[in-house]
Amino acid sequence: MNQQRVPRKRTYLMCSPEHFAVEYAINPWMDVTTAVDAELAVKQWDRLRETLVGLGHDVHLLTPEAGLPDMVFAANGAFVVDGTVYGAQFKHEQRAAEAAAHRAFYESQGWRFIAPSETNEGEGDFAYLPEAHGGLVLAGHGFRTELPAHAEAQEALGRPVVSLRLVDPRFYHLDVALASIDDENIVYFPGAFSAASQKVLTQLFPDAVIADDEDAMSFGLNLVSDGLNVVLNSEATRLAGKLKAAGYHPVPVELAEVKKGGGSVKCCIAELRH
Ligand code: ARG
């Protein structure tokens, strides 16, 4: 018998891909010779925004800035837990200025903001499970976020941080390899992690939904769930089936344009947790 899944209302932050382009390549998915249709990107992104609103969630908007083509990937700008914002510090120069835009947003809204001194890319590499072990942070390192940032986040947020090592450059952020599907459980692709980190995940999350290479390659894990409704890339049909079998409600969205930047649903969304 399937467990009854219960949605919880969320507050999200998104940033329109008005200025989206692939002008540099900082992950294996990006190819500067690929043509990008920014207008189509905005249309697809807008459908994602409408989908979240239609599910009853609040969506705040960050103003996109010319010259910052990856700003659409709002997940990378900070990591928010219990009303405290741990700011981002991007690895690559090309995205560095995005951090200030996010900081200005949070400060204008009166959030408690903690500036980082270590390299970290916000929710790209941090996930939060409020009901797992009393409130647990999962953190990726290996490509973008650096290990000292995990300790810094733990001090900033007062929640235990479990470090996980990413080993496959295609899965350069935690959020392309692992996602929370409710307050206490996750879905992940084991192959993206070191053998030891896989062991840690098995120990902490014995009931996790396990994704395979195909699910991960279609950006299926780059999803956002409210506890019942799982918004995910429409190409990830197999993963959608697995989630459905586990009692969740998959909501596919098409994001082919921003995918050219190496991201999908989750990359476009930061969660603001009061
Ligand atoms: N082009 C962006 C980068 O490489 C994509 C970021 C995707 N965001 C994410 N949360 N995984 O930085």
Side-chain angles (χ1 to χ4, degrees):
M1 266 285 280
N2 265 331
Q3 211 177 311
Q4 183 70 32
R5 306 292 176 191
V6 184
R8 184 164 59 73
K9 187 182 169 178
R10 311 293 172 124
T11 304
Y12 296 123
L13 177 66
M14 295 179 67
C15 181
S16 163
E18 262 161 66
H19 304 292
F20 177 63
V22 182
E23 291 169 358
Y24 48 80
I26 55 174
N27 69 57
W29 304 91
M30 299 175 89
D31 174 357
V32 293
T33 64
T34 305
V36 169
D37 182 341
E39 213 171 296
L40 180 58
V42 172
K43 256 184 221 157
Q44 293 173 340
W45 172 88
D46 212 45
R47 204 153 300 152
L48 171 62
R49 189 188 57 77
E50 282 167 5
T51 300
L52 297 170
V53 171
L55 290 169
H57 305 301
D58 283 335
V59 179
H60 291 265
L61 295 177
L62 188 65
T63 309
E65 293 177 23
L68 295 175
D70 272 339
M71 240 184 122
V72 60
F73 301 117
N76 298 127
F79 178 49
V80 189
V81 174
D82 300 334
T84 296
V85 183
Y86 174 55
Q89 180 171 295
F90 286 83
K91 176 172 175 103
H92 296 102
E93 173 64 22
Q94 294 98 326
R95 298 195 66 189
E98 293 179 41
H102 282 263
R103 179 177 187 158
F105 167 82
Y106 288 107
E107 288 183 337
S108 75
Q109 298 244 325
W111 292 80
R112 174 169 179 251
F113 186 91
I114 298 183
S117 43
E118 304 292 346
T119 299
N120 84 88
E121 298 196 347
E123 287 204 337
D125 275 320
F126 287 110
Y128 185 57
L129 283 299
E131 297 293 333
H133 307 273
L136 194 68
V137 174
L138 299 179
H141 68 103
F143 297 100
R144 299 291 182 88
T145 296
E146 288 173 12
L147 206 40
H150 295 186
E152 192 175 56
Q154 179 166 295
E155 285 304 304
L157 303 169
R159 295 288 182 182
V161 175
V162 175
S163 292
L164 302 165
R165 190 157 77 86
L166 296 162
V167 295
D168 182 333
R170 296 171 302 174
F171 310 113
Y172 58 94
H173 273 144
L174 182 70
D175 73 358
V176 289
L178 178 152
S180 67
I181 37 176
D182 56 35
D183 287 343
E184 56 188 349
N185 204 10
I186 57 170
V187 56
Y188 67 99
F189 169 50
F193 298 92
S194 70
S197 292
Q198 289 180 34
K199 213 175 139 194
V200 169
L201 286 169
T202 308
Q203 181 186 323
L204 291 176
F205 299 97
D207 301 322
V209 176
I210 301 298
D212 62 22
D213 196 77
E214 187 193 308
D215 301 326
M217 287 299 282
S218 54
F219 273 95
L221 291 154
N222 196 239
L223 60 79
V224 163
S225 172
D226 62 14
L228 169 67
N229 304 292
V230 182
V231 182
L232 83 173
N233 195 309
S234 56
E235 292 164 66
T237 50
R238 237 191 22 197
L239 184 61
K242 288 179 194 171
L243 291 165
K244 201 168 177 185
Y248 298 90
H249 177 231
V251 181
V253 290
E254 202 193 318
L255 282 175
E257 286 311 296
V258 300
K259 192 182 168 199
K260 296 171 182 171
S264 185
V265 175
K266 172 62 194 131
C267 297
C268 294
I269 302 167
E271 186 171 348
L272 311 186
R273 302 178 190 85
H274 284 279

